[in-house]
Amino acid sequence: MPGLLVILAQLLDERSEILEQSEHHALLLAQHIVAVQSTEINNTKALLLKLSQQVTVRDFTQGQCPPLLDHAQILSNDIANIGIVALNGQVMCSLQTGTRSININDRDYFQTVLSTNQFAIGHYQQDRSVHRATVNFAMPIFNDAGVLKSVLVAVKPLDKWSQALAKLPLPQNSQVMLSDANHNIIAHSPFNQALLGTHSDDYWPKINPNQAQILDDDNGHRRIYFTLPLTKDSTPNPLTVHVSLPFEQAIAQANKEVAVILLLFFLAIAVLMWQAHWNLQRVILRPLQNLVDAIEELSQGLPVRWSQKSQTPEFNAIAMRFEQMANIRLNIESALSHKHAELSALLESMPDSYLRLSKQGKVLMRHGTFAKQAQQLEDMFPEHIYKRLMSELSKLNEHSHCQLEFSLHDNQNRHVYECRLSPITHYQQAIVVIRDISQRKKQEEAINLAALVYNNSSEGMVITDANGHILDTNPAFSQVTGFKRSEVIGKTTAILASGKHEQAFYEQMWQQLDKDGNWQGEIVNRRKNGELYTEWLTINSVYNANNEPYRRVAIFTDITEKKKQDELIWRQAHYDQLTELANRTQLKRHLKSRLGQSKQALAILLLDLDHFKDINDTLGHFYGDQLLMEVANRLTQLSPLCSLLSRIGGDEFVLVTRYLDDEALAELADKVLQQLQPNINIGNESCHISASIGIARAPKDGNTSEHLLKAADQAMYQAKQQGRSGYTFFSNDMREQAENRMKLLKDLRIAQQHQQFCLYYQPIVNLNTLNIEKAEALIRWQHPQKGLVSPDVFIPLAEETQLIHKIGEFIFASACQTLDKVRKNGENLQLSINVSPVQFTSKHCYLNQWHTHLEQHNLAPHDIVIEITEGLMMNAQPRTQKRLNNLTAQGFSLALDDFGTGYSSLAYLKQMDTDYIKIDKRFVDGIADNKDDLALCEAMIMMAHQLGLQVIAEGIETQAQHQLLQQAGCDFGQGYYYAKPMPEESLLALLSND
């Protein structure tokens, strides 16, 4: 044993030395790979640095890329594209895409260059220029002053990078993988396109950098793994090299040397052991095996032949005695086995379970499924049955007979058992026989249940012979038909015939009964009193042993009331309850049916009553309903000209007619308007009603009911806008307007979510000092495709959709931030913001919270001028007036915008405590050439000054206009003559240089 241990120690030491040499060789290969890849990246970095220092690249602004980039790409065939990118991420030129607009502002390597001003390596990405998986390299481009001007970007495709890895001189079955800073695979050898962009941790074990680790791969092979950084300098987003080399060969070589020496050593040991085993087998083991075989033969009841086998004399004497005892035992067991077989056959023939019990309740013998389900008697039976059996066993004698019945539940099934106990004479034991009587109980219960159902069912039941002669009926039959049981026994079911069905109906019924054995359907029968009723009838046939019809069982339900209810529900679902005209559902069904027919041209007239809401508000909904019924009656007179009249909701009606030509449709529309012209008397009131009609034609204006109704609805609204009490044909312009409106609304919601709005500011100059004392905040929409969008385009839609509230809050918050910056620069400025009437009239608004926001910015309310329109003042509701009064009480200034263009009221000027009026641009435009415009402006200025108000003139564009308004005493001027609307930065710069 010590010698063996010494040999093993020497072998293990040699094996470790071989493995260390193989590991060192693998590390050298990994470092070689890192050196090769680092050289390629350094070459790319040096190339980009050289290019960025060239004058043609450094001074490039826009247009075709410098030829120098083409030459660089030709020299570096592993670069797929080179481009120059502006600091906002917009690609100014690209060898692959030309001038196609591409923005890479979202790329991390681009942001890294901007933040670090040095060479950066990107992550795995799908490049937008070459549409391939790439890793991009970026080099900053500085001007002569050392200021970052643009970025030079090179695109390296990952498939070529992987092909370059495959050319490295590596051992067979080696694996090399490159990953970026986000652990995404960017190159792999052997190349697998599906692995690019996946997470490296999913395919590579996590090991410490610069350390080798030997692990088993997915196939159970030993491999050595390295993870080494590819770049050791401060380059952002460094790459990592993962190398895996096969280690099985080194292990196999070491194991082979150990195995050869161990094999020779164990062969010598085996020869010595074989010689010892042969002697032990001959003297001891073979005789003992003969004994084991003899015992096995005895256990199987076979004759024992141990003494006849070759063995030592001592074992021969033992074998003779053993054979004598074995033969005696076999004879006794044979007799017992015959008796046992006879008893087992008797027990197996019994369908019942069997128990033999002692007086104390111990199970001595068992047979059958029930008896084998538990070991103890108390676990087999319910508690009350167990106690009864134990009671009978305790007083056991020859008269102790009893019979019990109990039930058990097994897997949601109920089993009923009968238990009989009988004593064994002359022994203190008893026999218990258990029989499953579940089937018998089920049959008894089924018979009782069937009779209960038959007699108490709410459905009528009839049992006839094969020819339809009635044999029996249940009580429900008499309740439904009125016939007593005694009145129909022996008669055929024809006694119930109503005469509503033809003879062919009954012939078909009997044919199906003869063929399939059953029939089901709806049938009309007659009660005893002659009343007709509808029933749902099911007939099933019962066959005898010869497969001939023996009985017919009919079950029926009276569905008369259900039929009436279904008919009522259908009518309520398809017709208007007030006017009894077709409703929207029926209209769509009708249009779908008509449009589905080939070459079917039709048109619809959708009319909406004008000012119907006024009638509901003044007379009430009851009289409004009376008016709608009268309108329906008048339209019904035109029904010969229409295929359908319908009321689709409120005061909207639709007429469906054949489409002949537009002239015929115009005549029909005129007839509809004429029908509505006469006054309608409702109660004590006489009402005059008119309608606006929209006309749509199919398939010209729509080939579905939805499209057609939508087109007619758009045409109807066009008719209302044209003055009501008329009709308009649908045109494609209406569809385009609706689609443009929906697109604008969609873009407006996106703009609000993505904060695409910005404020421009137009200075307001004191005409006496020419100093900038005020400015008006004007919202602009920075649309990603359309550029700056004027508020005239989107503000009306924002007011209509209530989006104006959030836009108004954005304007106010941005204005506060601008004022805060103006104050910090040591300047004074008063900002005007336009407030929509919707912000004042809406139930929920934020105007009352504005003074709180001003306090947070250390601003005063008089720093803000709220501009409102004349329409708001003229139509101001109590809620609006209250909010205006609150704002003025808090210190906000009010300006009346577009003064003179509406219904100006001097009384409202004083009532609203207005501070400024703004003369509209249309009056200012003509003051240099038109004396009337000049006189109007002078009158407005004089009137405002008499009321203690200051005047701001809008739209001043010439020096002449400026001088005339200055001479007229105007206080402030605003227009292109002084400055155009500008961003916040320009305003702050202008104020600083004022």
Side-chain angles (χ1 to χ4, degrees):
M1 182 58 70
L4 177 61
L5 293 176
V6 171
I7 293 174
L8 288 176
Q10 292 177 349
L11 291 176
L12 291 176
D13 184 59
E14 291 181 7
R15 183 177 183 275
S16 298
E17 184 177 353
I18 294 172
L19 295 180
E20 287 179 2
Q21 293 176 356
S22 299
E23 183 177 345
H24 179 70
H25 176 66
L27 179 58
L28 292 178
L29 284 175
Q31 292 174 347
H32 173 70
I33 294 170
V34 172
V36 171
Q37 296 303 314
S38 297
T39 301
E40 291 188 7
I41 293 176
N42 291 334
N43 290 341
T44 302
K45 180 178 178 181
L47 175 63
L48 293 180
L49 179 61
K50 190 69 175 179
L51 290 174
S52 67
Q53 295 172 350
Q54 300 301 314
V55 177
T56 57
V57 176
R58 185 181 58 195
D59 297 338
F60 178 81
T61 56
Q62 196 68 34
Q64 192 71 24
C65 288
L68 187 62
L69 299 187
D70 285 315
H71 300 157
Q73 186 185 15
I74 294 173
L75 293 175
S76 302
N77 57 3
D78 60 336
I79 294 179
N81 191 15
I82 303 178
I84 302 175
V85 184
L87 297 184
N88 61 356
Q90 191 68 31
V91 177
M92 296 190 292
C93 84
S94 171
L95 296 180
Q96 295 297 326
T97 61
T99 59
R100 181 162 61 88
S101 176
I102 297 178
N103 193 293
I104 65 170
N105 193 46
D106 59 331
R107 299 300 195 187
D108 55 351
Y109 67 88
F110 179 75
Q111 293 297 330
T112 301
V113 172
L114 296 184
S115 61
T116 63
N117 288 345
Q118 59 176 321
F119 174 75
I121 303 173
H123 300 149
Y124 169 86
Q125 66 176 37
Q126 289 291 331
D127 190 77
R128 300 188 180 104
S129 62
V130 299
H131 304 291
R132 296 164 65 184
T134 67
V135 169
N136 292 3
F137 302 90
M139 176 66 71
I141 301 176
F142 302 97
N143 59 16
D144 294 336
V147 178
L148 179 64
K149 180 180 179 183
S150 57
V151 177
L152 183 64
V153 178
V155 179
K156 185 166 185 177
L158 301 187
D159 50 357
K160 287 190 175 182
W161 204 338
S162 297
Q163 293 170 6
L165 289 179
K167 297 178 181 180
L168 296 174
L170 299 174
Q172 188 176 6
N173 295 329
S174 298
Q175 294 182 5
V176 182
M177 183 175 71
L178 300 183
S179 63
D180 58 21
N182 288 340
H183 305 287
N184 295 321
I185 298 176
I186 60 173
H188 191 274
S189 176
F191 181 58
N192 186 348
Q193 182 72 32
L195 294 182
L196 295 181
T198 59
H199 204 275
S200 62
D201 292 343
D202 297 337
Y203 304 95
W204 208 266
K206 294 184 179 178
I207 61 177
N208 296 326
N210 299 311
Q211 290 185 4
Q213 196 164 354
I214 302 173
L215 301 171
D216 291 339
D217 62 9
D218 294 339
N219 297 321
H221 297 153
R222 302 284 285 177
R223 303 181 68 86
I224 183 168
Y225 291 88
F226 296 93
T227 298
L228 303 173
L230 189 56
T231 54
K232 297 182 179 180
D233 54 11
S234 59
T235 301
N237 301 330
L239 305 181
T240 303
V241 175
H242 306 269
V243 181
S244 171
L245 302 174
F247 207 60
E248 289 288 347
Q249 185 175 0
I251 297 175
Q253 180 181 356
N255 292 341
K256 182 178 180 181
E257 293 184 6
V258 174
V260 169
I261 297 175
L262 287 178
L263 178 62
L264 295 175
F265 177 78
F266 284 115
L267 282 176
I269 298 297
V271 171
L272 295 176
M273 293 180 63
W274 175 82
Q275 185 176 8
H277 178 268
W278 182 80
N279 289 324
L280 182 64
Q281 182 79 15
R282 181 179 61 85
V283 177
I284 298 176
L285 295 181
R286 188 175 298 134
L288 289 178
Q289 182 61 44
N290 292 337
L291 175 60
V292 172
D293 294 340
I295 294 174
E296 180 66 24
E297 291 173 353
L298 176 62
S299 65
Q300 297 178 4
L302 300 175
V304 177
R305 298 291 186 267
W306 185 21
S307 62
Q308 300 176 6
K309 297 180 180 180
S310 175
Q311 51 199 349
T312 60
E314 293 82 2
F315 275 101
N316 280 336
I318 297 174
M320 294 295 294
R321 297 293 183 183
F322 181 80
E323 285 183 5
Q324 293 176 358
M325 292 186 295
N327 290 331
I328 294 173
R329 177 185 170 183
L330 288 174
N331 292 333
I332 296 174
E333 285 183 351
S334 177
L336 291 175
S337 177
H338 182 271
K339 290 294 183 180
H340 184 268
E342 182 179 350
L343 179 60
S344 297
L346 177 63
L347 293 176
E348 289 294 335
S349 63
M350 295 176 58
D352 304 329
S353 295
Y354 159 82
L355 289 172
R356 181 159 62 91
L357 304 176
S358 67
K359 188 174 183 179
Q360 292 76 28
K362 182 179 180 181
V363 178
L364 304 177
M365 184 177 179
R366 65 182 73 228
H367 169 76
T369 304
F370 183 89
K372 294 178 181 179
Q373 66 183 0
Q375 294 297 321
Q376 303 297 326
L377 188 65
E378 59 267 27
D379 298 330
M380 298 182 192
F381 297 95
E383 185 178 359
H384 67 286
I385 299 298
Y386 170 72
K387 290 181 178 180
R388 180 72 183 276
L389 290 175
M390 293 302 296
S391 176
E392 293 294 332
L393 289 173
S394 64
K395 53 184 181 181
L396 192 63
N397 54 58
E398 61 182 6
H399 302 292
S400 298
H401 294 273
C402 72
Q403 182 172 327
L404 306 173
E405 188 175 301
F406 61 94
S407 62
L408 295 174
H409 291 271
D410 180 20
N411 295 329
Q412 298 181 351
N413 295 322
R414 178 174 174 267
H415 293 273
V416 182
Y417 296 93
E418 182 182 73
C419 172
R420 298 190 302 275
L421 184 143
S422 300
I424 299 177
T425 310
H426 306 304
Y427 293 91
Q428 292 297 309
Q429 297 178 2
I431 297 295
V432 176
V433 179
I434 305 99
R435 173 172 296 179
D436 190 341
I437 59 173
S438 302
Q439 191 63 32
R440 187 182 76 190
K441 286 291 184 181
K442 287 181 180 179
Q443 292 174 353
E444 293 174 356
E445 292 176 359
I447 293 173
N448 295 333
L449 183 60
L452 185 65
V453 172
Y454 182 74
N455 293 320
N456 294 279
S457 174
S458 61
E459 297 180 328
M461 297 183 185
V462 182
I463 300 176
T464 71
D465 61 12
N467 298 318
H469 291 86
I470 298 175
L471 303 177
D472 193 15
T473 65
N474 71 341
F477 172 86
S478 300
Q479 294 175 4
V480 175
T481 65
F483 288 99
K484 296 181 180 179
R485 179 176 178 276
S486 58
E487 294 175 334
V488 297
I489 295 298
K491 299 180 181 179
T492 66
T493 53
I495 193 174
L496 301 174
S498 63
K500 292 291 183 179
H501 300 286
E502 297 179 355
Q503 184 63 29
F505 173 81
Y506 295 103
E507 290 177 356
Q508 187 272 337
M509 177 194 296
W510 281 102
Q511 288 176 2
Q512 184 172 341
L513 279 172
D514 292 337
K515 178 183 177 182
D516 302 329
N518 58 76
W519 183 88
Q520 188 177 57
E522 190 177 292
I523 188 170
V524 179
N525 278 339
R526 188 182 302 275
R527 308 185 202 273
K528 182 179 179 180
N529 60 7
E531 179 185 350
L532 297 180
Y533 69 97
T534 305
E535 67 179 36
W536 182 260
L537 175 64
T538 302
I539 304 174
N540 291 293
S541 301
V542 181
Y543 296 90
N544 58 18
N546 297 324
N547 201 27
E548 296 175 346
Y550 172 64
R551 294 285 186 265
R552 313 279 189 190
V553 179
I555 302 175
F556 63 89
T557 303
D558 186 351
I559 60 172
T560 306
E561 290 300 322
K562 183 178 182 301
K563 293 280 290 183
K564 293 179 180 179
Q565 291 294 328
D566 291 345
E567 183 178 355
L568 176 62
I569 292 173
W570 184 89
R571 185 162 187 82
Q572 289 176 345
H574 293 80
Y575 286 87
D576 179 48
Q577 298 184 29
L578 178 65
T579 62
E580 296 187 356
L581 297 178
N583 62 8
R584 183 182 291 271
T585 302
Q586 183 64 8
L587 172 64
K588 289 185 177 181
R589 289 167 59 92
H590 180 76
L591 290 176
K592 183 178 180 181
S593 174
R594 293 287 301 275
L595 293 172
Q597 301 175 12
S598 60
K599 299 181 181 180
Q600 182 69 263
L602 59 88
I604 64 171
L605 283 73
L606 190 152
L607 66 94
D608 183 272
L609 302 182
D610 296 330
H611 305 296
F612 177 73
K613 183 177 182 299
D614 297 339
I615 296 176
N616 271 340
D617 294 342
T618 56
L619 301 180
H621 289 279
F622 173 77
Y623 290 106
D625 291 344
Q626 297 294 320
L627 177 66
L628 291 174
M629 287 190 289
E630 178 60 26
V631 171
N633 293 334
R634 293 187 180 187
L635 293 177
T636 304
Q637 298 176 17
L638 301 174
S639 58
L641 303 176
C642 306
S643 61
L644 184 72
L645 291 174
S646 67
R647 175 182 175 233
I648 60 175
D651 57 342
E652 290 186 334
F653 298 83
V654 174
L655 292 76
V656 183
T657 184
R658 288 186 60 193
Y659 173 48
L660 300 176
D661 52 46
D662 290 351
E663 184 178 353
L665 291 176
E667 292 179 1
L668 178 58
D670 287 330
K671 290 181 181 180
V672 172
L673 295 175
Q674 292 173 6
Q675 286 291 106
L676 299 178
Q677 280 184 356
N679 289 349
I680 298 176
N681 296 321
I682 304 174
N684 297 327
E685 299 289 338
S686 179
C687 300
H688 175 76
I689 197 74
S690 64
S692 300
I693 302 175
I695 304 173
R697 299 140 295 188
K700 178 181 179 181
D701 300 328
N703 53 7
T704 66
S705 61
E706 292 293 340
H707 291 166
L708 209 57
L709 287 171
K710 183 178 179 181
D713 190 64
Q714 293 174 357
M716 182 270 292
Y717 277 106
Q718 186 71 22
K720 282 189 177 292
Q721 293 175 1
Q722 293 176 356
R724 305 177 187 270
S725 189
Y727 59 86
T728 301
F729 285 87
F730 176 79
S731 65
N732 287 329
D733 292 340
M734 298 179 188
R735 179 177 285 119
E736 291 177 1
Q737 291 175 4
E739 291 176 352
N740 290 337
R741 182 179 181 277
M742 292 302 296
K743 187 177 186 305
L744 180 62
L745 178 59
K746 179 182 177 181
D747 291 347
L748 187 59
R749 295 185 187 277
I750 294 174
Q752 194 172 65
Q753 294 173 358
H754 296 175
Q755 298 180 352
Q756 295 177 359
F757 296 110
C758 62
L759 286 188
Y760 273 49
Y761 300 90
Q762 187 172 27
I764 300 175
V765 176
N766 187 315
L767 293 184
N768 295 322
T769 64
L770 296 182
N771 291 331
I772 300 175
E773 297 183 4
K774 307 176 185 298
E776 181 178 1
L778 302 170
I779 191 168
R780 296 291 186 267
W781 177 4
Q782 187 68 48
H783 196 283
Q785 284 82 35
K786 301 176 182 179
L788 285 179
V789 180
S790 173
D792 296 338
V793 176
F794 64 89
I795 288 297
L797 185 59
E799 291 178 334
E800 181 181 344
T801 57
Q802 299 297 313
L803 295 175
I804 191 65
H805 295 291
K806 292 186 177 179
I807 294 177
E809 288 304 300
F810 167 78
I811 294 173
F812 178 74
S814 299
C816 290
Q817 293 175 1
T818 301
L819 280 175
D820 190 27
K821 294 178 182 178
V822 170
R823 294 289 186 272
K824 290 179 179 178
N825 290 342
E827 305 289 342
N828 290 321
L829 188 70
Q830 190 179 41
L831 277 184
S832 298
I833 62 174
N834 293 278
V835 181
S836 168
V838 177
Q839 292 178 259
F840 282 99
T841 58
S842 178
K843 183 177 180 180
H844 301 287
C845 73
Y846 306 95
L847 299 177
N848 293 331
Q849 303 174 9
W850 281 7
H851 68 282
T852 305
H853 294 295
L854 289 173
E855 292 175 357
Q856 294 175 356
H857 290 276
N858 294 323
L859 299 173
H862 62 77
D863 293 331
I864 298 291
V865 178
I866 297 176
E867 293 192 9
I868 60 176
T869 61
E870 293 181 357
L872 177 67
M873 297 182 66
M874 297 296 295
N875 302 315
Q877 302 174 0
R879 178 188 295 165
T880 303
Q881 294 184 4
K882 181 179 179 180
R883 288 173 178 170
L884 277 171
N885 293 334
N886 288 340
L887 290 174
T888 55
Q890 291 169 1
F892 288 93
S893 299
L894 289 183
L896 185 59
D897 197 11
D898 302 334
F899 184 77
T901 61
Y903 302 94
S904 303
S905 171
L906 301 180
Y908 278 111
L909 286 177
K910 295 304 295 178
Q911 180 180 345
M912 293 297 180
D913 196 14
T914 309
D915 300 285
Y916 304 94
I917 65 170
K918 299 187 74 173
I919 300 177
D920 190 74
K921 180 181 183 300
R922 69 189 70 181
F923 297 110
V924 176
D925 287 342
I927 61 175
D929 304 317
N930 192 317
K931 294 182 180 180
D932 293 338
D933 288 343
L934 178 59
L936 285 173
C937 290
E938 290 175 343
M940 285 187 282
I941 294 170
M942 183 181 299
M943 176 199 65
H945 287 170
Q946 290 295 327
L947 295 174
L949 307 177
Q950 291 183 305
V951 181
I952 303 173
E954 294 182 304
I956 301 175
E957 297 182 353
T958 65
Q959 184 178 5
Q961 293 172 350
H962 165 77
Q963 290 176 347
L964 289 173
L965 289 168
Q966 187 181 40
Q967 294 171 3
C970 185
D971 302 292
F972 299 96
Q974 176 181 354
Y976 284 7
Y977 176 70
Y978 310 108
K980 294 182 179 181
M982 60 189 69
E984 180 188 82
E985 297 81 2
S986 300
L987 176 66
L988 295 176
L990 182 62
L991 291 175
S992 300
N993 299 326
D994 194 21

